[in-house]
Short mmCIF file of all heavy atoms in Angstrom, two decimals:
data_model
loop_
_atom_site.label_atom_id
_atom_site.label_comp_id
_atom_site.label_asym_id
_atom_site.label_seq_id
_atom_site.Cartn_x
_atom_site.Cartn_y
_atom_site.Cartn_z
N ARG A 160 -85.65 -48.57 -13.92
CA ARG A 160 -84.50 -48.13 -14.69
C ARG A 160 -84.43 -48.97 -15.97
O ARG A 160 -84.21 -50.17 -15.92
CB ARG A 160 -83.23 -48.28 -13.86
CG ARG A 160 -83.33 -47.62 -12.50
CD ARG A 160 -82.30 -48.15 -11.52
NE ARG A 160 -80.96 -47.71 -11.85
CZ ARG A 160 -79.86 -48.35 -11.48
NH1 ARG A 160 -79.95 -49.51 -10.82
NH2 ARG A 160 -78.68 -47.88 -11.82
N VAL A 161 -84.61 -48.31 -17.10
CA VAL A 161 -84.70 -49.01 -18.39
C VAL A 161 -83.35 -48.90 -19.09
O VAL A 161 -82.92 -47.80 -19.48
CB VAL A 161 -85.82 -48.39 -19.26
CG1 VAL A 161 -85.99 -49.22 -20.53
CG2 VAL A 161 -87.13 -48.34 -18.47
N GLY A 162 -82.68 -50.02 -19.24
CA GLY A 162 -81.33 -50.01 -19.78
C GLY A 162 -81.26 -49.65 -21.25
O GLY A 162 -81.98 -50.22 -22.07
N ILE A 163 -80.40 -48.66 -21.57
CA ILE A 163 -80.14 -48.31 -22.97
C ILE A 163 -78.68 -48.54 -23.34
O ILE A 163 -78.29 -48.36 -24.50
CB ILE A 163 -80.55 -46.85 -23.28
CG1 ILE A 163 -79.76 -45.86 -22.40
CG2 ILE A 163 -82.05 -46.67 -23.11
CD1 ILE A 163 -79.96 -44.40 -22.80
N GLY A 164 -77.86 -48.95 -22.37
CA GLY A 164 -76.46 -49.23 -22.64
C GLY A 164 -75.61 -47.98 -22.81
O GLY A 164 -76.12 -46.85 -22.81
N ARG A 165 -74.31 -48.19 -22.95
CA ARG A 165 -73.37 -47.09 -23.11
C ARG A 165 -73.21 -46.73 -24.58
O ARG A 165 -73.40 -47.58 -25.46
CB ARG A 165 -72.01 -47.47 -22.53
CG ARG A 165 -72.01 -47.85 -21.07
CD ARG A 165 -72.39 -46.71 -20.16
NE ARG A 165 -71.53 -45.54 -20.32
CZ ARG A 165 -71.66 -44.42 -19.61
NH1 ARG A 165 -72.61 -44.32 -18.69
NH2 ARG A 165 -70.86 -43.40 -19.81
N PRO A 166 -72.83 -45.49 -24.88
CA PRO A 166 -72.63 -45.11 -26.28
C PRO A 166 -71.43 -45.81 -26.89
O PRO A 166 -70.47 -46.15 -26.17
CB PRO A 166 -72.39 -43.59 -26.20
CG PRO A 166 -71.95 -43.34 -24.80
CD PRO A 166 -72.64 -44.38 -23.95
N PRO A 167 -71.45 -46.03 -28.20
CA PRO A 167 -70.32 -46.69 -28.84
C PRO A 167 -69.11 -45.76 -28.96
O PRO A 167 -69.25 -44.53 -29.06
CB PRO A 167 -70.87 -47.02 -30.23
CG PRO A 167 -71.92 -45.99 -30.48
CD PRO A 167 -72.53 -45.70 -29.15
N GLY A 168 -67.94 -46.35 -28.93
CA GLY A 168 -66.71 -45.57 -29.16
C GLY A 168 -66.57 -44.41 -28.20
O GLY A 168 -66.76 -44.55 -27.00
N ARG A 169 -66.28 -43.25 -28.76
CA ARG A 169 -66.09 -42.05 -27.95
C ARG A 169 -67.27 -41.10 -28.03
O ARG A 169 -67.15 -39.91 -27.70
CB ARG A 169 -64.81 -41.33 -28.39
CG ARG A 169 -63.54 -42.15 -28.21
CD ARG A 169 -62.32 -41.35 -28.58
NE ARG A 169 -61.07 -42.12 -28.37
CZ ARG A 169 -59.86 -41.65 -28.62
NH1 ARG A 169 -59.72 -40.40 -29.09
NH2 ARG A 169 -58.80 -42.40 -28.40
N MET A 170 -68.43 -41.59 -28.44
CA MET A 170 -69.60 -40.73 -28.53
C MET A 170 -69.95 -40.15 -27.17
O MET A 170 -69.94 -40.85 -26.16
CB MET A 170 -70.81 -41.50 -29.08
CG MET A 170 -72.05 -40.63 -29.25
SD MET A 170 -73.53 -41.57 -29.75
CE MET A 170 -73.03 -42.12 -31.39
N ASP A 171 -70.27 -38.88 -27.14
CA ASP A 171 -70.69 -38.21 -25.91
C ASP A 171 -72.02 -38.81 -25.46
O ASP A 171 -72.97 -38.91 -26.23
CB ASP A 171 -70.88 -36.71 -26.20
CG ASP A 171 -71.14 -35.89 -24.95
OD1 ASP A 171 -71.72 -36.43 -23.99
OD2 ASP A 171 -70.78 -34.70 -24.95
N PRO A 172 -72.11 -39.23 -24.17
CA PRO A 172 -73.37 -39.77 -23.68
C PRO A 172 -74.56 -38.84 -23.89
O PRO A 172 -75.68 -39.30 -24.15
CB PRO A 172 -73.11 -39.99 -22.19
CG PRO A 172 -71.64 -40.22 -22.11
CD PRO A 172 -71.05 -39.32 -23.16
N ALA A 173 -74.33 -37.52 -23.81
CA ALA A 173 -75.42 -36.56 -24.03
C ALA A 173 -75.95 -36.64 -25.45
O ALA A 173 -77.16 -36.50 -25.69
CB ALA A 173 -74.95 -35.15 -23.71
N ASP A 174 -75.06 -36.88 -26.41
CA ASP A 174 -75.51 -37.05 -27.79
C ASP A 174 -76.21 -38.39 -27.97
O ASP A 174 -77.22 -38.49 -28.69
CB ASP A 174 -74.31 -36.98 -28.75
CG ASP A 174 -73.69 -35.59 -28.81
OD1 ASP A 174 -74.41 -34.61 -28.54
OD2 ASP A 174 -72.49 -35.50 -29.11
N PHE A 175 -75.71 -39.41 -27.32
CA PHE A 175 -76.26 -40.76 -27.45
C PHE A 175 -77.71 -40.82 -26.98
O PHE A 175 -78.58 -41.38 -27.67
CB PHE A 175 -75.40 -41.73 -26.64
CG PHE A 175 -75.86 -43.15 -26.66
CD1 PHE A 175 -75.75 -43.92 -27.82
CD2 PHE A 175 -76.36 -43.75 -25.52
CE1 PHE A 175 -76.17 -45.25 -27.83
CE2 PHE A 175 -76.76 -45.08 -25.52
CZ PHE A 175 -76.68 -45.83 -26.69
N VAL A 176 -78.00 -40.24 -25.82
CA VAL A 176 -79.36 -40.34 -25.30
C VAL A 176 -80.35 -39.51 -26.11
O VAL A 176 -81.55 -39.81 -26.12
CB VAL A 176 -79.43 -39.94 -23.80
CG1 VAL A 176 -78.55 -40.85 -22.96
CG2 VAL A 176 -79.09 -38.48 -23.58
N LEU A 177 -79.86 -38.50 -26.81
CA LEU A 177 -80.75 -37.65 -27.61
C LEU A 177 -80.82 -38.09 -29.07
O LEU A 177 -81.27 -37.34 -29.93
CB LEU A 177 -80.30 -36.19 -27.52
CG LEU A 177 -80.47 -35.54 -26.14
CD1 LEU A 177 -79.92 -34.13 -26.13
CD2 LEU A 177 -81.94 -35.54 -25.73
N ARG A 178 -80.40 -39.31 -29.34
CA ARG A 178 -80.58 -39.91 -30.66
C ARG A 178 -81.65 -40.98 -30.60
O ARG A 178 -81.88 -41.59 -29.56
CB ARG A 178 -79.27 -40.52 -31.16
CG ARG A 178 -78.21 -39.47 -31.45
CD ARG A 178 -77.03 -40.07 -32.19
NE ARG A 178 -76.01 -39.07 -32.46
CZ ARG A 178 -74.94 -39.30 -33.21
NH1 ARG A 178 -74.75 -40.50 -33.76
NH2 ARG A 178 -74.05 -38.34 -33.42
N ASP A 179 -82.32 -41.19 -31.73
CA ASP A 179 -83.33 -42.24 -31.79
C ASP A 179 -82.70 -43.61 -31.64
O ASP A 179 -81.51 -43.81 -31.94
CB ASP A 179 -84.08 -42.18 -33.12
CG ASP A 179 -85.04 -41.01 -33.21
OD1 ASP A 179 -85.16 -40.24 -32.23
OD2 ASP A 179 -85.70 -40.87 -34.26
N PHE A 180 -83.49 -44.57 -31.19
CA PHE A 180 -83.04 -45.95 -31.16
C PHE A 180 -82.64 -46.38 -32.57
O PHE A 180 -83.29 -46.01 -33.55
CB PHE A 180 -84.15 -46.85 -30.64
CG PHE A 180 -84.37 -46.75 -29.16
CD1 PHE A 180 -85.39 -45.96 -28.65
CD2 PHE A 180 -83.57 -47.46 -28.28
CE1 PHE A 180 -85.60 -45.88 -27.28
CE2 PHE A 180 -83.77 -47.38 -26.90
CZ PHE A 180 -84.79 -46.58 -26.41
N GLY A 181 -81.58 -47.18 -32.65
CA GLY A 181 -81.12 -47.68 -33.94
C GLY A 181 -82.06 -48.74 -34.50
O GLY A 181 -83.00 -49.19 -33.84
N THR A 182 -81.79 -49.15 -35.74
CA THR A 182 -82.66 -50.10 -36.43
C THR A 182 -82.84 -51.40 -35.66
O THR A 182 -83.96 -51.88 -35.46
CB THR A 182 -82.10 -50.41 -37.83
OG1 THR A 182 -81.97 -49.18 -38.56
CG2 THR A 182 -83.02 -51.34 -38.58
N THR A 183 -81.74 -51.97 -35.21
CA THR A 183 -81.82 -53.22 -34.45
C THR A 183 -82.54 -53.00 -33.13
O THR A 183 -83.37 -53.82 -32.71
CB THR A 183 -80.42 -53.79 -34.19
OG1 THR A 183 -79.77 -54.03 -35.45
CG2 THR A 183 -80.50 -55.09 -33.42
N GLU A 184 -82.23 -51.89 -32.45
CA GLU A 184 -82.88 -51.59 -31.18
C GLU A 184 -84.38 -51.43 -31.33
O GLU A 184 -85.16 -51.86 -30.47
CB GLU A 184 -82.30 -50.30 -30.59
CG GLU A 184 -80.85 -50.40 -30.13
CD GLU A 184 -80.29 -49.05 -29.77
OE1 GLU A 184 -80.41 -48.09 -30.56
OE2 GLU A 184 -79.71 -48.94 -28.67
N ARG A 185 -84.80 -50.81 -32.44
CA ARG A 185 -86.24 -50.60 -32.64
C ARG A 185 -87.00 -51.91 -32.77
O ARG A 185 -88.16 -52.02 -32.38
CB ARG A 185 -86.49 -49.72 -33.87
CG ARG A 185 -86.21 -48.24 -33.62
CD ARG A 185 -86.83 -47.36 -34.68
NE ARG A 185 -86.28 -47.59 -36.00
CZ ARG A 185 -85.21 -46.96 -36.49
NH1 ARG A 185 -84.58 -46.07 -35.74
NH2 ARG A 185 -84.78 -47.21 -37.71
N LYS A 186 -86.34 -52.93 -33.31
CA LYS A 186 -86.99 -54.24 -33.41
C LYS A 186 -87.25 -54.84 -32.04
O LYS A 186 -88.23 -55.56 -31.84
CB LYS A 186 -86.13 -55.19 -34.24
CG LYS A 186 -86.01 -54.80 -35.71
CD LYS A 186 -85.11 -55.76 -36.46
CE LYS A 186 -84.96 -55.36 -37.93
NZ LYS A 186 -84.01 -56.25 -38.65
N GLU A 187 -86.34 -54.55 -31.10
CA GLU A 187 -86.47 -55.10 -29.74
C GLU A 187 -87.25 -54.18 -28.81
O GLU A 187 -87.62 -54.59 -27.70
CB GLU A 187 -85.08 -55.34 -29.15
CG GLU A 187 -84.23 -56.34 -29.94
CD GLU A 187 -84.87 -57.73 -29.95
OE1 GLU A 187 -85.45 -58.11 -28.92
OE2 GLU A 187 -84.77 -58.41 -30.99
N LEU A 188 -87.50 -52.94 -29.25
CA LEU A 188 -88.09 -51.94 -28.36
C LEU A 188 -89.45 -52.36 -27.79
O LEU A 188 -89.69 -52.16 -26.59
CB LEU A 188 -88.20 -50.60 -29.09
CG LEU A 188 -88.66 -49.40 -28.25
CD1 LEU A 188 -87.73 -49.19 -27.06
CD2 LEU A 188 -88.71 -48.13 -29.12
N PRO A 189 -90.36 -52.95 -28.57
CA PRO A 189 -91.65 -53.35 -27.97
C PRO A 189 -91.48 -54.32 -26.80
O PRO A 189 -92.25 -54.25 -25.83
CB PRO A 189 -92.39 -54.01 -29.14
CG PRO A 189 -91.79 -53.40 -30.37
CD PRO A 189 -90.35 -53.19 -30.03
N PHE A 190 -90.48 -55.20 -26.89
CA PHE A 190 -90.25 -56.14 -25.80
C PHE A 190 -89.72 -55.42 -24.56
O PHE A 190 -90.11 -55.73 -23.43
CB PHE A 190 -89.27 -57.23 -26.24
CG PHE A 190 -89.74 -58.00 -27.44
CD1 PHE A 190 -89.20 -57.75 -28.70
CD2 PHE A 190 -90.73 -58.97 -27.32
CE1 PHE A 190 -89.63 -58.45 -29.81
CE2 PHE A 190 -91.16 -59.68 -28.42
CZ PHE A 190 -90.62 -59.42 -29.68
N LEU A 191 -88.81 -54.45 -24.77
CA LEU A 191 -88.27 -53.67 -23.67
C LEU A 191 -89.37 -52.86 -22.99
O LEU A 191 -89.46 -52.84 -21.76
CB LEU A 191 -87.16 -52.75 -24.17
CG LEU A 191 -86.54 -51.80 -23.14
CD1 LEU A 191 -85.93 -52.58 -21.98
CD2 LEU A 191 -85.49 -50.90 -23.79
N LEU A 192 -90.21 -52.20 -23.78
CA LEU A 192 -91.30 -51.42 -23.21
C LEU A 192 -92.26 -52.31 -22.45
O LEU A 192 -92.75 -51.95 -21.37
CB LEU A 192 -92.04 -50.65 -24.31
CG LEU A 192 -91.22 -49.65 -25.12
CD1 LEU A 192 -92.12 -48.94 -26.14
CD2 LEU A 192 -90.54 -48.63 -24.22
N GLY A 193 -92.52 -53.50 -22.98
CA GLY A 193 -93.40 -54.44 -22.30
C GLY A 193 -92.83 -54.90 -20.98
O GLY A 193 -93.54 -54.96 -19.97
N ASP A 194 -91.53 -55.21 -20.97
CA ASP A 194 -90.88 -55.65 -19.73
C ASP A 194 -90.90 -54.54 -18.68
O ASP A 194 -91.16 -54.79 -17.49
CB ASP A 194 -89.44 -56.07 -20.00
CG ASP A 194 -89.33 -57.42 -20.68
OD1 ASP A 194 -90.35 -58.15 -20.74
OD2 ASP A 194 -88.23 -57.75 -21.15
N ALA A 195 -90.60 -53.32 -19.10
CA ALA A 195 -90.57 -52.20 -18.16
C ALA A 195 -91.97 -51.92 -17.61
O ALA A 195 -92.13 -51.61 -16.43
CB ALA A 195 -89.99 -50.96 -18.82
#
Side-chain angles (χ1 to χ4, degrees):
R160 308 161 71 204
V161 186
I163 60 171
R165 301 295 303 182
R169 297 183 178 180
M170 182 186 294
D171 188 331
D174 293 334
F175 179 70
V176 300
L177 292 176
R178 292 191 180 187
D179 287 359
F180 285 99
T182 302
T183 301
E184 292 171 310
R185 283 197 296 272
K186 293 178 181 177
E187 299 297 323
L188 186 57
F190 302 103
L191 177 59
L192 300 182
D194 285 348

